[in-house]
Amino acid sequence: MCGIIGYVSEGDCCGALFDALRRLEYRGYDSAGIAVLGEKGFSVCKKQGGVSNLASFYAAGNTGVGHTRWATHGAPSDKNAHPHRAGKIALVHNGIVENYAALKAELEADGELFLSETDSEVIAKLISRAYRGDLLRAVHAALGRAEGAYAVAVIAEDRPGEIVAARYKSPLIAGCGREGLFVCSDIPAVAAGAGYIAKAEDGEFVRIADGEICFYDRDLRPVPKVFFRPQADLGAAPSDAGGYCMRREIGEIPAALRRTFCALEKTDFAPCARALRGAKRIFAVACGTAYHSALAFRDAAERDVGVPVLCCTAGEFRYRPPLTERGDLVVAVSQSGETADTLEAVRLAKERGGYVVAVTNAGCSSLASLADFTLVMRAGAEIAVAATKSYNCQLLCLWYLAAEMLFFKRQKYPDWFSSLQKLPSAAEETISLFSEIDRIADSLKDAAAMYFLGRGADECTAREGALKVKEIACVFAEGLAAGELKHGPLALVREGFPVFMTATQPPLFKKCENALAEVRSRGGFAALFSQSEEALSQSCADVKVRLPALPAALMPCIAVIPLQYFAYRMCLERGLDPDKPKNLAKSVTVE
Ligand code: F6R
């Protein structure tokens, strides 16, 4: 989950590298580095900490590489930061070289000295040893020995104007931008200034030299590529563009829903009609927040379409008995479209004959390339590590998909379908409730743990609220089906223990209230979120938040917003940076 960039620019490339790294920072922010090739060889600056630590670095030269790191092998430190040097080579790497220990032992036995604890330095050494003036061949030879996943960008001291990059299971693009020709791990980092880009596929190599970008296959045969303009709305603002990205992105939920609804209305579902009509069961695969949206999809598809949905976290899908068969519909959800576990699950499902519908924010992502049909949500660039607006848009896309399924199966749309377009204004109304949430966060800032509960369609909201609080506010939080409370978790509830109940499903109000009564009778602090006047007025909760009213099936899209914001506020109360949560980075491209 590191970000990599390489530039061959018209003038000096240092500024372009730094700018791209600021936009790539969500990929990891424990260290960052730049190497620029100038007349006197390499100038390298690499430092533990964020990209801003490189702000004072400048070196003349039009060829360079940059990296922002999320540590896997070797702690965050100056020496483990990329670029790594070996002989005439400087390299940046995203991925994990799984056989690095064996390769390192072999190289050490042959006299090589390592300066870092990273797996990446092993590749730099291998390239350096293979290099005889032809950088492409040297990279090809070295990577032939690496197992695992990689996207690398490499420059050589005696080859100004040239970058060689390669990809295997970690994303890589190449393109032309205002500043020159580049390779990069992420489209959002370059989308704003890019003219045209093309994607490298697994096993491919890219060479930028003599003002051209050439792609090669695993046998170094040239591969023709279609260059395309990246989705402009994916252009990422740097994380220091003013205010916190997470807050900005929560505020963008109504606009993101509006854009997504318009895009869905223009989507032609006919190409997947057969798969939607014929599906007797659905596998929904995703990770983290996206997995929670899969849970919401299950609710709608089972209730309204009558098709069983098996939700599986993508990382587990491939290790379960492979039950997917021809005719099964596989719904894969991923904001980035680059999450390694989700991609592997989709590959497996396809091998077994499943028809894959992807829901992603990146229409040109690896997931979109693998899927049989792709629904592109229009959340816009999501830079904060914690997913917020993309979750709301995923729900909208998945419900729309469920509605299309029902249409193709029974030629009938569910009643709530037309209500989907009310989501943006309901989201706006919800945002106006934030001052109430500020007060709750203020009163709970010292809480050491908390529960989030919900039943039926509200369970996904409970789980998502808990995930946000964990990752952003660093407070232990558990999201539970409310009915489970009495089967064990109640043991922790004591004086002041916070319990957030989302209750938006009318048949379950009484059951939810019972759970809150159990909390209150043990002295716990109960907060209730509901759209129902009746549920709120009859509740024993300490704090009651009235949500805007929508058809119950759609409430998860709205009910989650106060919880997203609560996590953000708790994070600020505790003096943390919501855009740089501990130990996390966005777009998990390693398994
Ligand atoms: C949580 C979060 C993660 C992602 C997960 C999947 O806030 O962002 O849990 O949802 O890593 O990422 P995508 O959706 O890009 O596949």
Short mmCIF file of all heavy atoms in Angstrom, two decimals, residues 313-378:
data_model
loop_
_atom_site.label_atom_id
_atom_site.label_comp_id
_atom_site.label_asym_id
_atom_site.label_seq_id
_atom_site.Cartn_x
_atom_site.Cartn_y
_atom_site.Cartn_z
N THR A 313 -16.28 -11.86 3.40
CA THR A 313 -15.15 -10.93 3.29
C THR A 313 -14.20 -11.52 2.25
O THR A 313 -13.94 -12.73 2.25
CB THR A 313 -14.44 -10.74 4.63
OG1 THR A 313 -14.11 -12.00 5.17
CG2 THR A 313 -15.31 -9.98 5.61
N ALA A 314 -13.69 -10.67 1.38
CA ALA A 314 -12.94 -11.18 0.22
C ALA A 314 -11.71 -11.99 0.64
O ALA A 314 -11.35 -12.97 0.00
CB ALA A 314 -12.53 -10.00 -0.66
N GLY A 315 -11.09 -11.59 1.75
CA GLY A 315 -9.89 -12.29 2.19
C GLY A 315 -10.18 -13.73 2.61
O GLY A 315 -9.28 -14.57 2.61
N GLU A 316 -11.42 -14.01 2.96
CA GLU A 316 -11.79 -15.37 3.38
C GLU A 316 -12.39 -16.17 2.23
O GLU A 316 -12.34 -17.40 2.23
CB GLU A 316 -12.82 -15.32 4.53
CG GLU A 316 -12.29 -14.71 5.80
CD GLU A 316 -11.07 -15.43 6.32
OE1 GLU A 316 -11.08 -16.67 6.41
OE2 GLU A 316 -10.06 -14.75 6.62
N PHE A 317 -12.94 -15.48 1.26
CA PHE A 317 -13.68 -16.15 0.18
C PHE A 317 -12.88 -17.29 -0.45
O PHE A 317 -13.37 -18.38 -0.65
CB PHE A 317 -14.05 -15.09 -0.87
CG PHE A 317 -14.84 -15.63 -2.03
CD1 PHE A 317 -16.19 -15.86 -1.91
CD2 PHE A 317 -14.21 -15.90 -3.24
CE1 PHE A 317 -16.92 -16.34 -2.99
CE2 PHE A 317 -14.93 -16.39 -4.32
CZ PHE A 317 -16.29 -16.61 -4.19
N ARG A 318 -11.59 -16.99 -0.73
CA ARG A 318 -10.80 -17.99 -1.46
C ARG A 318 -10.37 -19.15 -0.58
O ARG A 318 -9.88 -20.15 -1.07
CB ARG A 318 -9.59 -17.33 -2.10
CG ARG A 318 -8.84 -16.42 -1.17
CD ARG A 318 -8.06 -15.43 -1.97
NE ARG A 318 -6.92 -16.08 -2.58
CZ ARG A 318 -5.68 -15.63 -2.48
NH1 ARG A 318 -5.43 -14.54 -1.81
NH2 ARG A 318 -4.69 -16.25 -3.06
N TYR A 319 -10.51 -19.00 0.73
CA TYR A 319 -10.09 -20.09 1.61
C TYR A 319 -11.28 -20.91 2.11
O TYR A 319 -11.13 -21.80 2.92
CB TYR A 319 -9.27 -19.53 2.77
CG TYR A 319 -8.04 -18.82 2.26
CD1 TYR A 319 -7.93 -17.45 2.33
CD2 TYR A 319 -7.02 -19.55 1.65
CE1 TYR A 319 -6.82 -16.79 1.81
CE2 TYR A 319 -5.91 -18.91 1.13
CZ TYR A 319 -5.81 -17.53 1.22
OH TYR A 319 -4.72 -16.90 0.69
N ARG A 320 -12.45 -20.58 1.61
CA ARG A 320 -13.63 -21.37 1.96
C ARG A 320 -13.83 -22.40 0.85
O ARG A 320 -13.30 -22.26 -0.23
CB ARG A 320 -14.86 -20.46 2.04
CG ARG A 320 -14.80 -19.51 3.21
CD ARG A 320 -15.82 -18.43 3.04
NE ARG A 320 -17.16 -18.95 3.24
CZ ARG A 320 -17.82 -18.87 4.39
NH1 ARG A 320 -17.26 -18.28 5.41
NH2 ARG A 320 -19.03 -19.35 4.51
N PRO A 321 -14.65 -23.42 1.10
CA PRO A 321 -14.91 -24.36 0.00
C PRO A 321 -15.44 -23.58 -1.20
O PRO A 321 -16.36 -22.78 -1.05
CB PRO A 321 -16.00 -25.28 0.58
CG PRO A 321 -15.97 -25.07 2.04
CD PRO A 321 -15.38 -23.72 2.31
N PRO A 322 -14.85 -23.76 -2.36
CA PRO A 322 -15.25 -22.93 -3.52
C PRO A 322 -16.61 -23.36 -4.08
O PRO A 322 -16.69 -24.21 -4.96
CB PRO A 322 -14.12 -23.17 -4.52
CG PRO A 322 -13.53 -24.49 -4.13
CD PRO A 322 -13.82 -24.73 -2.69
N LEU A 323 -17.64 -22.76 -3.59
CA LEU A 323 -18.99 -23.18 -3.97
C LEU A 323 -19.53 -22.45 -5.20
O LEU A 323 -20.56 -22.82 -5.73
CB LEU A 323 -19.95 -22.94 -2.79
CG LEU A 323 -19.74 -23.84 -1.57
CD1 LEU A 323 -20.71 -23.47 -0.47
CD2 LEU A 323 -19.90 -25.30 -1.94
N THR A 324 -18.84 -21.39 -5.60
CA THR A 324 -19.37 -20.60 -6.72
C THR A 324 -19.44 -21.47 -7.98
O THR A 324 -18.50 -22.21 -8.28
CB THR A 324 -18.46 -19.40 -7.00
OG1 THR A 324 -18.05 -18.88 -5.76
CG2 THR A 324 -19.17 -18.34 -7.80
N GLU A 325 -20.53 -21.33 -8.72
CA GLU A 325 -20.72 -22.14 -9.93
C GLU A 325 -21.21 -21.27 -11.07
O GLU A 325 -21.64 -20.15 -10.85
CB GLU A 325 -21.82 -23.19 -9.69
CG GLU A 325 -21.43 -24.27 -8.74
CD GLU A 325 -22.62 -25.14 -8.38
OE1 GLU A 325 -23.73 -24.86 -8.89
OE2 GLU A 325 -22.42 -26.06 -7.59
N ARG A 326 -21.16 -21.87 -12.28
CA ARG A 326 -21.70 -21.17 -13.43
C ARG A 326 -23.15 -20.76 -13.13
O ARG A 326 -23.90 -21.54 -12.54
CB ARG A 326 -21.64 -22.12 -14.63
CG ARG A 326 -22.02 -21.50 -15.95
CD ARG A 326 -21.45 -22.31 -17.10
NE ARG A 326 -19.98 -22.35 -17.07
CZ ARG A 326 -19.17 -21.36 -17.44
NH1 ARG A 326 -19.68 -20.23 -17.88
NH2 ARG A 326 -17.86 -21.48 -17.36
N GLY A 327 -23.50 -19.55 -13.48
CA GLY A 327 -24.88 -19.09 -13.23
C GLY A 327 -25.00 -18.28 -11.95
O GLY A 327 -25.97 -17.57 -11.76
N ASP A 328 -23.99 -18.40 -11.07
CA ASP A 328 -24.04 -17.59 -9.85
C ASP A 328 -23.67 -16.16 -10.18
O ASP A 328 -22.80 -15.92 -11.03
CB ASP A 328 -23.05 -18.11 -8.80
CG ASP A 328 -23.55 -19.38 -8.14
OD1 ASP A 328 -24.77 -19.62 -8.16
OD2 ASP A 328 -22.70 -20.14 -7.63
N LEU A 329 -24.30 -15.25 -9.49
CA LEU A 329 -23.93 -13.85 -9.64
C LEU A 329 -22.96 -13.50 -8.51
O LEU A 329 -23.21 -13.86 -7.35
CB LEU A 329 -25.20 -12.99 -9.53
CG LEU A 329 -25.02 -11.50 -9.71
CD1 LEU A 329 -24.55 -11.17 -11.12
CD2 LEU A 329 -26.36 -10.78 -9.44
N VAL A 330 -21.86 -12.86 -8.86
CA VAL A 330 -20.89 -12.45 -7.84
C VAL A 330 -20.85 -10.93 -7.86
O VAL A 330 -20.55 -10.33 -8.89
CB VAL A 330 -19.50 -13.04 -8.13
CG1 VAL A 330 -18.49 -12.57 -7.10
CG2 VAL A 330 -19.56 -14.56 -8.16
N VAL A 331 -21.18 -10.33 -6.74
CA VAL A 331 -21.15 -8.87 -6.65
C VAL A 331 -19.92 -8.49 -5.85
O VAL A 331 -19.78 -8.88 -4.69
CB VAL A 331 -22.44 -8.33 -6.00
CG1 VAL A 331 -22.36 -6.82 -5.84
CG2 VAL A 331 -23.65 -8.71 -6.84
N ALA A 332 -19.00 -7.78 -6.48
CA ALA A 332 -17.75 -7.40 -5.82
C ALA A 332 -17.76 -5.89 -5.62
O ALA A 332 -17.97 -5.14 -6.58
CB ALA A 332 -16.55 -7.81 -6.67
N VAL A 333 -17.53 -5.47 -4.39
CA VAL A 333 -17.63 -4.03 -4.09
C VAL A 333 -16.27 -3.54 -3.62
O VAL A 333 -15.65 -4.11 -2.72
CB VAL A 333 -18.66 -3.78 -2.96
CG1 VAL A 333 -18.97 -2.28 -2.87
CG2 VAL A 333 -19.93 -4.57 -3.18
N SER A 334 -15.81 -2.45 -4.23
CA SER A 334 -14.52 -1.89 -3.82
C SER A 334 -14.42 -0.44 -4.27
O SER A 334 -14.52 -0.16 -5.47
CB SER A 334 -13.37 -2.70 -4.44
OG SER A 334 -12.15 -2.05 -4.22
N GLN A 335 -14.25 0.46 -3.32
CA GLN A 335 -14.10 1.87 -3.68
C GLN A 335 -12.96 2.03 -4.67
O GLN A 335 -13.11 2.60 -5.74
CB GLN A 335 -13.83 2.67 -2.40
CG GLN A 335 -13.74 4.17 -2.56
CD GLN A 335 -12.41 4.69 -3.08
OE1 GLN A 335 -12.40 5.47 -4.04
NE2 GLN A 335 -11.32 4.27 -2.52
N SER A 336 -11.78 1.52 -4.29
CA SER A 336 -10.58 1.74 -5.11
C SER A 336 -10.54 0.85 -6.34
O SER A 336 -9.92 1.20 -7.34
CB SER A 336 -9.34 1.44 -4.26
OG SER A 336 -9.35 0.07 -3.87
N GLY A 337 -11.17 -0.32 -6.24
CA GLY A 337 -11.07 -1.29 -7.33
C GLY A 337 -9.70 -1.93 -7.40
O GLY A 337 -9.38 -2.62 -8.36
N GLU A 338 -8.87 -1.73 -6.38
CA GLU A 338 -7.51 -2.27 -6.40
C GLU A 338 -7.21 -3.12 -5.16
O GLU A 338 -6.07 -3.52 -4.97
CB GLU A 338 -6.47 -1.13 -6.47
CG GLU A 338 -6.58 -0.23 -7.68
CD GLU A 338 -6.30 -0.93 -9.01
OE1 GLU A 338 -5.82 -2.08 -8.99
OE2 GLU A 338 -6.60 -0.34 -10.06
N THR A 339 -8.19 -3.37 -4.33
CA THR A 339 -7.93 -4.14 -3.10
C THR A 339 -7.57 -5.57 -3.46
O THR A 339 -8.34 -6.29 -4.12
CB THR A 339 -9.19 -4.09 -2.19
OG1 THR A 339 -9.37 -2.72 -1.83
CG2 THR A 339 -9.02 -4.92 -0.95
N ALA A 340 -6.37 -5.99 -3.03
CA ALA A 340 -5.83 -7.27 -3.49
C ALA A 340 -6.75 -8.44 -3.14
O ALA A 340 -6.99 -9.31 -3.98
CB ALA A 340 -4.44 -7.47 -2.87
N ASP A 341 -7.28 -8.46 -1.92
CA ASP A 341 -8.13 -9.58 -1.52
C ASP A 341 -9.37 -9.66 -2.40
O ASP A 341 -9.81 -10.75 -2.79
CB ASP A 341 -8.55 -9.42 -0.04
CG ASP A 341 -7.40 -9.75 0.91
OD1 ASP A 341 -6.55 -10.58 0.56
OD2 ASP A 341 -7.36 -9.17 2.01
N THR A 342 -9.94 -8.51 -2.70
CA THR A 342 -11.17 -8.51 -3.52
C THR A 342 -10.84 -8.97 -4.94
O THR A 342 -11.60 -9.75 -5.54
CB THR A 342 -11.79 -7.09 -3.52
OG1 THR A 342 -11.94 -6.68 -2.15
CG2 THR A 342 -13.13 -7.06 -4.20
N LEU A 343 -9.71 -8.53 -5.46
CA LEU A 343 -9.33 -8.94 -6.82
C LEU A 343 -9.11 -10.45 -6.88
O LEU A 343 -9.53 -11.12 -7.83
CB LEU A 343 -8.06 -8.21 -7.27
CG LEU A 343 -8.20 -6.69 -7.44
CD1 LEU A 343 -6.86 -6.07 -7.84
CD2 LEU A 343 -9.27 -6.35 -8.47
N GLU A 344 -8.46 -11.00 -5.86
CA GLU A 344 -8.21 -12.45 -5.85
C GLU A 344 -9.53 -13.22 -5.76
O GLU A 344 -9.71 -14.24 -6.42
CB GLU A 344 -7.31 -12.83 -4.67
CG GLU A 344 -5.84 -12.50 -4.90
CD GLU A 344 -5.28 -13.07 -6.20
OE1 GLU A 344 -5.55 -14.25 -6.51
OE2 GLU A 344 -4.59 -12.33 -6.93
N ALA A 345 -10.44 -12.72 -4.93
CA ALA A 345 -11.75 -13.39 -4.81
C ALA A 345 -12.47 -13.38 -6.15
O ALA A 345 -13.07 -14.38 -6.56
CB ALA A 345 -12.59 -12.68 -3.74
N VAL A 346 -12.37 -12.27 -6.86
CA VAL A 346 -13.05 -12.15 -8.15
C VAL A 346 -12.41 -13.09 -9.18
O VAL A 346 -13.11 -13.76 -9.94
CB VAL A 346 -13.03 -10.68 -8.63
CG1 VAL A 346 -13.35 -10.56 -10.10
CG2 VAL A 346 -14.01 -9.86 -7.80
N ARG A 347 -11.09 -13.16 -9.16
CA ARG A 347 -10.42 -14.09 -10.10
C ARG A 347 -10.90 -15.51 -9.87
O ARG A 347 -11.23 -16.24 -10.81
CB ARG A 347 -8.90 -14.02 -9.92
CG ARG A 347 -8.31 -12.77 -10.54
CD ARG A 347 -6.79 -12.76 -10.51
NE ARG A 347 -6.33 -11.45 -10.92
CZ ARG A 347 -5.78 -10.53 -10.13
NH1 ARG A 347 -5.58 -10.79 -8.86
NH2 ARG A 347 -5.44 -9.36 -10.60
N LEU A 348 -10.97 -15.89 -8.60
CA LEU A 348 -11.39 -17.25 -8.27
C LEU A 348 -12.84 -17.48 -8.70
O LEU A 348 -13.17 -18.50 -9.31
CB LEU A 348 -11.24 -17.47 -6.75
CG LEU A 348 -11.65 -18.85 -6.26
CD1 LEU A 348 -10.71 -19.92 -6.80
CD2 LEU A 348 -11.64 -18.90 -4.74
N ALA A 349 -13.69 -16.51 -8.39
CA ALA A 349 -15.11 -16.65 -8.74
C ALA A 349 -15.27 -16.79 -10.25
O ALA A 349 -16.09 -17.57 -10.73
CB ALA A 349 -15.88 -15.44 -8.23
N LYS A 350 -14.46 -16.05 -10.99
CA LYS A 350 -14.56 -16.12 -12.46
C LYS A 350 -14.09 -17.48 -12.98
O LYS A 350 -14.69 -18.06 -13.86
CB LYS A 350 -13.76 -14.99 -13.10
CG LYS A 350 -14.45 -13.66 -12.99
CD LYS A 350 -13.96 -12.67 -13.99
CE LYS A 350 -14.42 -13.06 -15.38
NZ LYS A 350 -14.33 -11.97 -16.33
N GLU A 351 -12.99 -17.96 -12.38
CA GLU A 351 -12.50 -19.29 -12.78
C GLU A 351 -13.60 -20.34 -12.61
O GLU A 351 -13.69 -21.29 -13.35
CB GLU A 351 -11.33 -19.72 -11.87
CG GLU A 351 -9.97 -19.31 -12.37
CD GLU A 351 -8.93 -19.47 -11.25
OE1 GLU A 351 -9.08 -20.37 -10.40
OE2 GLU A 351 -7.99 -18.65 -11.23
N ARG A 352 -14.43 -20.13 -11.59
CA ARG A 352 -15.46 -21.12 -11.30
C ARG A 352 -16.78 -20.81 -12.03
O ARG A 352 -17.81 -21.38 -11.72
CB ARG A 352 -15.69 -21.21 -9.79
CG ARG A 352 -14.42 -21.65 -9.05
CD ARG A 352 -14.72 -22.07 -7.66
NE ARG A 352 -15.78 -23.09 -7.61
CZ ARG A 352 -15.59 -24.39 -7.78
NH1 ARG A 352 -14.38 -24.85 -8.01
NH2 ARG A 352 -16.60 -25.23 -7.72
N GLY A 353 -16.73 -19.87 -12.95
CA GLY A 353 -17.88 -19.65 -13.83
C GLY A 353 -18.86 -18.60 -13.34
O GLY A 353 -19.92 -18.41 -13.94
N GLY A 354 -18.56 -17.92 -12.25
CA GLY A 354 -19.47 -16.87 -11.75
C GLY A 354 -19.48 -15.67 -12.69
O GLY A 354 -18.50 -15.40 -13.38
N TYR A 355 -20.60 -14.96 -12.69
CA TYR A 355 -20.70 -13.72 -13.48
C TYR A 355 -20.49 -12.57 -12.51
O TYR A 355 -21.22 -12.45 -11.52
CB TYR A 355 -22.09 -13.64 -14.12
CG TYR A 355 -22.27 -12.41 -14.98
CD1 TYR A 355 -22.02 -12.45 -16.36
CD2 TYR A 355 -22.69 -11.19 -14.43
CE1 TYR A 355 -22.20 -11.32 -17.15
CE2 TYR A 355 -22.85 -10.06 -15.20
CZ TYR A 355 -22.61 -10.13 -16.57
OH TYR A 355 -22.77 -9.01 -17.35
N VAL A 356 -19.48 -11.75 -12.77
CA VAL A 356 -19.08 -10.74 -11.77
C VAL A 356 -19.60 -9.35 -12.13
O VAL A 356 -19.32 -8.82 -13.20
CB VAL A 356 -17.54 -10.69 -11.64
CG1 VAL A 356 -17.13 -9.59 -10.66
CG2 VAL A 356 -17.00 -12.04 -11.17
N VAL A 357 -20.37 -8.80 -11.21
CA VAL A 357 -20.75 -7.38 -11.31
C VAL A 357 -19.91 -6.63 -10.28
O VAL A 357 -19.92 -6.96 -9.09
CB VAL A 357 -22.25 -7.17 -11.01
CG1 VAL A 357 -22.58 -5.69 -10.95
CG2 VAL A 357 -23.10 -7.85 -12.08
N ALA A 358 -19.15 -5.64 -10.74
CA ALA A 358 -18.32 -4.85 -9.83
C ALA A 358 -19.02 -3.54 -9.52
O ALA A 358 -19.66 -2.94 -10.39
CB ALA A 358 -16.97 -4.56 -10.48
N VAL A 359 -18.87 -3.10 -8.29
CA VAL A 359 -19.31 -1.75 -7.91
C VAL A 359 -18.07 -1.04 -7.41
O VAL A 359 -17.47 -1.46 -6.40
CB VAL A 359 -20.39 -1.80 -6.81
CG1 VAL A 359 -20.73 -0.40 -6.33
CG2 VAL A 359 -21.63 -2.50 -7.32
N THR A 360 -17.64 -0.03 -8.12
CA THR A 360 -16.38 0.63 -7.77
C THR A 360 -16.44 2.12 -8.08
O THR A 360 -17.25 2.57 -8.89
CB THR A 360 -15.20 -0.03 -8.51
OG1 THR A 360 -14.00 0.65 -8.18
CG2 THR A 360 -15.38 0.02 -10.02
N ASN A 361 -15.53 2.84 -7.44
CA ASN A 361 -15.45 4.27 -7.69
C ASN A 361 -14.49 4.57 -8.84
O ASN A 361 -14.38 5.71 -9.26
CB ASN A 361 -14.95 4.96 -6.40
CG ASN A 361 -15.29 6.43 -6.36
OD1 ASN A 361 -16.22 6.88 -7.02
ND2 ASN A 361 -14.53 7.19 -5.60
N ALA A 362 -13.76 3.57 -9.28
CA ALA A 362 -12.72 3.77 -10.29
C ALA A 362 -13.01 2.90 -11.51
O ALA A 362 -12.71 1.71 -11.53
CB ALA A 362 -11.35 3.43 -9.70
N GLY A 363 -13.62 3.53 -12.50
CA GLY A 363 -14.04 2.80 -13.69
C GLY A 363 -12.89 2.21 -14.47
O GLY A 363 -13.08 1.33 -15.32
N CYS A 364 -11.67 2.69 -14.21
CA CYS A 364 -10.53 2.14 -14.94
C CYS A 364 -9.65 1.30 -14.01
O CYS A 364 -8.46 1.12 -14.28
CB CYS A 364 -9.74 3.25 -15.61
SG CYS A 364 -9.69 4.74 -14.65
N SER A 365 -10.22 0.79 -12.94
CA SER A 365 -9.43 0.02 -11.98
C SER A 365 -9.25 -1.42 -12.43
O SER A 365 -9.89 -1.88 -13.39
CB SER A 365 -10.14 0.03 -10.63
OG SER A 365 -11.43 -0.53 -10.79
N SER A 366 -8.41 -2.16 -11.70
CA SER A 366 -8.19 -3.57 -12.01
C SER A 366 -9.50 -4.35 -11.85
O SER A 366 -9.78 -5.27 -12.61
CB SER A 366 -7.14 -4.16 -11.06
OG SER A 366 -5.96 -3.41 -11.12
N LEU A 367 -10.28 -3.98 -10.84
CA LEU A 367 -11.55 -4.69 -10.62
C LEU A 367 -12.46 -4.51 -11.83
O LEU A 367 -13.07 -5.47 -12.31
CB LEU A 367 -12.23 -4.17 -9.34
CG LEU A 367 -13.59 -4.80 -9.03
CD1 LEU A 367 -13.47 -6.30 -8.83
CD2 LEU A 367 -14.21 -4.17 -7.79
N ALA A 368 -12.53 -3.27 -12.33
CA ALA A 368 -13.39 -3.01 -13.48
C ALA A 368 -12.92 -3.83 -14.69
O ALA A 368 -13.74 -4.33 -15.47
CB ALA A 368 -13.41 -1.52 -13.80
N SER A 369 -11.59 -4.00 -14.83
CA SER A 369 -11.09 -4.79 -15.97
C SER A 369 -11.48 -6.26 -15.83
O SER A 369 -11.74 -6.93 -16.82
CB SER A 369 -9.57 -4.75 -16.08
OG SER A 369 -9.11 -3.46 -16.01
N LEU A 370 -11.48 -6.75 -14.59
CA LEU A 370 -11.77 -8.18 -14.39
C LEU A 370 -13.26 -8.49 -14.49
O LEU A 370 -13.62 -9.59 -14.91
CB LEU A 370 -11.33 -8.58 -12.97
CG LEU A 370 -9.87 -8.89 -12.70
CD1 LEU A 370 -9.66 -9.12 -11.21
CD2 LEU A 370 -9.46 -10.14 -13.48
N ALA A 371 -14.10 -7.54 -14.10
CA ALA A 371 -15.54 -7.82 -13.96
C ALA A 371 -16.21 -7.99 -15.32
O ALA A 371 -15.75 -7.47 -16.33
CB ALA A 371 -16.20 -6.70 -13.18
N ASP A 372 -17.34 -8.70 -15.30
CA ASP A 372 -18.12 -8.83 -16.53
C ASP A 372 -18.95 -7.57 -16.75
O ASP A 372 -19.27 -7.21 -17.88
CB ASP A 372 -19.06 -10.04 -16.42
CG ASP A 372 -18.26 -11.33 -16.30
OD1 ASP A 372 -17.61 -11.70 -17.29
OD2 ASP A 372 -18.26 -11.94 -15.22
N PHE A 373 -19.32 -6.93 -15.67
CA PHE A 373 -20.14 -5.71 -15.77
C PHE A 373 -19.76 -4.81 -14.60
O PHE A 373 -19.58 -5.30 -13.49
CB PHE A 373 -21.63 -6.08 -15.70
CG PHE A 373 -22.55 -4.92 -15.93
CD1 PHE A 373 -22.84 -4.49 -17.20
CD2 PHE A 373 -23.13 -4.25 -14.85
CE1 PHE A 373 -23.70 -3.41 -17.42
CE2 PHE A 373 -23.98 -3.19 -15.05
CZ PHE A 373 -24.27 -2.76 -16.35
N THR A 374 -19.63 -3.51 -14.86
CA THR A 374 -19.18 -2.61 -13.78
C THR A 374 -20.16 -1.47 -13.59
O THR A 374 -20.56 -0.82 -14.55
CB THR A 374 -17.78 -2.04 -14.13
OG1 THR A 374 -16.88 -3.12 -14.28
CG2 THR A 374 -17.28 -1.12 -13.03
N LEU A 375 -20.52 -1.26 -12.35
CA LEU A 375 -21.29 -0.05 -11.99
C LEU A 375 -20.30 0.92 -11.38
O LEU A 375 -19.68 0.61 -10.35
CB LEU A 375 -22.33 -0.39 -10.93
CG LEU A 375 -23.63 -1.02 -11.39
CD1 LEU A 375 -24.56 -1.20 -10.20
CD2 LEU A 375 -24.29 -0.14 -12.43
N VAL A 376 -20.14 2.07 -12.00
CA VAL A 376 -19.19 3.04 -11.48
C VAL A 376 -19.95 4.07 -10.66
O VAL A 376 -20.81 4.78 -11.17
CB VAL A 376 -18.43 3.75 -12.62
CG1 VAL A 376 -17.39 4.70 -12.04
CG2 VAL A 376 -17.78 2.74 -13.53
N MET A 377 -19.64 4.09 -9.35
CA MET A 377 -20.26 5.13 -8.53
C MET A 377 -19.49 6.43 -8.78
O MET A 377 -18.35 6.39 -9.24
CB MET A 377 -20.23 4.74 -7.06
CG MET A 377 -18.86 4.43 -6.55
SD MET A 377 -18.86 4.17 -4.80
CE MET A 377 -17.77 2.79 -4.65
N ARG A 378 -20.10 7.52 -8.51
CA ARG A 378 -19.45 8.81 -8.78
C ARG A 378 -19.21 9.55 -7.48
O ARG A 378 -19.63 10.70 -7.32
CB ARG A 378 -20.30 9.65 -9.72
CG ARG A 378 -20.50 9.01 -11.07
CD ARG A 378 -19.24 9.10 -11.90
NE ARG A 378 -19.39 8.29 -13.11
CZ ARG A 378 -18.51 8.24 -14.08
NH1 ARG A 378 -17.39 8.94 -14.00
NH2 ARG A 378 -18.71 7.48 -15.12
#
